[in-house]
Amino acid sequence: VQLQASGGGLVQAGGSLRLSCAVSGTERSFSVYAAGWLRQAPGKEREFVGSISRGAIQTYYEDFAKGRFTISRDNAKSTVYLQMNNLRPEDTAVYYCAADRGTAQDMKFNPERIDYRGKGTLVTVSS
């Protein structure tokens, strides 16, 4: 399974970015996988950002992402998105997309067990 994230870059505090992640090589249709995003800031451990259920009915977010970040997906394009608004310098990190055969809730509460993770894209927020 390949997950290719894109859309990272340098942005000023208060700005916005939209990350995309194209998923390919799954043994079944992308629509049967939960999907989401993780991030790892310099010198810190990887952490959960948010996840979305297979049919995009449910979303889960870490507290720092609530109200600022929005996850969406397009199953026809096998793509998951992360819209990030009102970015802060502390959001600087490498962002990784992820997919799981379980549920979006599983991804939030057991991120260490996520089945598939892609290569990340760097987001840098300047103050």
Side-chain angles (χ1 to χ4, degrees), residues 40-94:
Q40 187 166 17
K44 296 186 177 181
E45 294 187 354
R46 192 173 299 187
E47 62 181 348
F48 175 81
V49 176
S51 59
I52 187 167
S53 63
R54 301 164 185 167
I57 301 301
Q58 295 174 309
T59 53
Y60 297 87
Y61 296 97
E62 195 54 76
D63 286 346
F64 64 79
K66 292 179 181 178
R68 298 190 300 129
F69 294 3
T70 302
I71 292 178
S72 59
R73 65 190 293 164
D74 185 336
N75 287 338
K77 294 182 179 179
S78 298
T79 301
V80 59
Y81 304 96
L82 179 65
Q83 176 68 42
M84 303 186 291
N85 298 327
N86 192 20
L87 283 161
R88 305 165 180 166
E90 53 264 40
D91 294 320
T92 294
V94 177

Side-chain angles (χ1 to χ4, degrees), residues 114-126:
I114 289 174
D115 292 323
Y116 308 109
R117 306 177 193 190
K119 294 181 179 179
T121 185
L122 176 62
V123 172
T124 303
V125 184
S126 63

